[in-house]
Amino acid sequence: MLVSFLIGMNSIGFSQKKMNFLSDSVHSPKKATIYSAVLPGLGQAYNRKYWKIPIVYAAIGGCVTAAVINHNSFDLRKQELKDRAEFGSPQSSRFSRFTDGQLLESSDYYRKWRDNMIIFSCLAYTLNIIDANVDAHLFNFNVDEDLSLNWSPYLFSPDINRPVSGVSLTLRFR
């Protein structure tokens, strides 16, 4: 209904530039940002960039999965260290060949990577929101065929004996 109203307004004297501004305001960056914050990937669906949804879930899911795996490995080593302190000898045959120092070093390694993966998960989630917002702002951005960029080899000879080669870039606005 709004689109037919705008088309009708265009036929009675409103310029095309005003029409584009009004149609841009229909696609809301605020909506895309909120959608992506509530459910990762939903902002990309709102922006009709469906191909980005698997990337969002792979990034967030991969980081969360790595965080869980590192947490489980850290937890096993921490429990073995507690058991060794309580009973005085290795309790699990899995860790019997490791010294207490090696187990402590290994548990610190897995704790560090668990913490890093949690940070990376938050970063992926934040990038998902930023991507949805930027895409929504550029939703109606139009690149016409009037813009062209050509490249070609270039040979410049300031001195007859020593030519210099390079690449020439030409940006042409029509």
Side-chain angles (χ1 to χ4, degrees), residues 54-119:
I55 295 170
V56 167
Y57 279 104
I60 295 172
C63 291
V64 168
T65 302
V68 168
I69 290 170
N70 284 309
H71 175 72
N72 291 340
S73 296
F74 165 71
D75 222 15
L76 283 172
R77 283 153 179 79
K78 185 176 75 171
Q79 186 60 44
E80 177 65 20
L81 284 170
K82 283 182 184 177
D83 290 346
R84 283 185 183 189
E86 185 178 332
F87 300 113
S89 65
Q91 297 300 307
S92 171
S93 61
R94 181 177 182 186
F95 299 114
S96 61
R97 62 186 177 152
F98 296 110
T99 66
D100 290 350
Q102 289 172 328
L103 270 178
L104 185 61
E105 186 179 327
S106 175
S107 70
D108 285 344
Y109 171 82
Y110 285 110
R111 180 194 46 79
K112 178 187 83 166
W113 277 106
R114 177 205 58 195
D115 295 347
N116 285 342
M117 288 298 119
I118 291 170
I119 291 169

Side-chain angles (χ1 to χ4, degrees), residues 3-89:
V3 174
S4 62
F5 174 73
L6 294 175
I7 291 171
M9 293 188 101
N10 191 27
S11 64
I12 57 173
F14 281 92
S15 69
Q16 185 64 29
K17 191 170 189 175
K18 183 75 172 176
M19 172 75 175
N20 285 340
F21 173 75
L22 291 174
S23 67
D24 284 351
S25 65
V26 172
H27 194 82
S28 170
K30 184 178 178 181
K31 250 187 199 180
T33 304
I34 292 170
Y35 286 168
S36 236
V38 170
L39 181 66
L42 193 57
Q44 283 75 10
Y46 175 73
N47 292 331
R48 296 186 192 119
K49 302 283 179 145
Y50 304 108
W51 64 272
K52 290 184 178 183
I53 296 172
I55 295 170
V56 167
Y57 279 104
I60 295 172
C63 291
V64 168
T65 302
V68 168
I69 290 170
N70 284 309
H71 175 72
N72 291 340
S73 296
F74 165 71
D75 222 15
L76 283 172
R77 283 153 179 79
K78 185 176 75 171
Q79 186 60 44
E80 177 65 20
L81 284 170
K82 283 182 184 177
D83 290 346
R84 283 185 183 189
E86 185 178 332
F87 300 113
S89 65

Side-chain angles (χ1 to χ4, degrees), residues 125-144:
Y125 175 75
T126 304
L127 287 175
N128 152 60
I129 295 170
I130 292 169
D131 176 66
N133 183 285
V134 170
D135 264 351
H137 276 289
L138 299 176
F139 185 75
N140 290 327
F141 185 72
N142 190 6
V143 179
D144 290 336

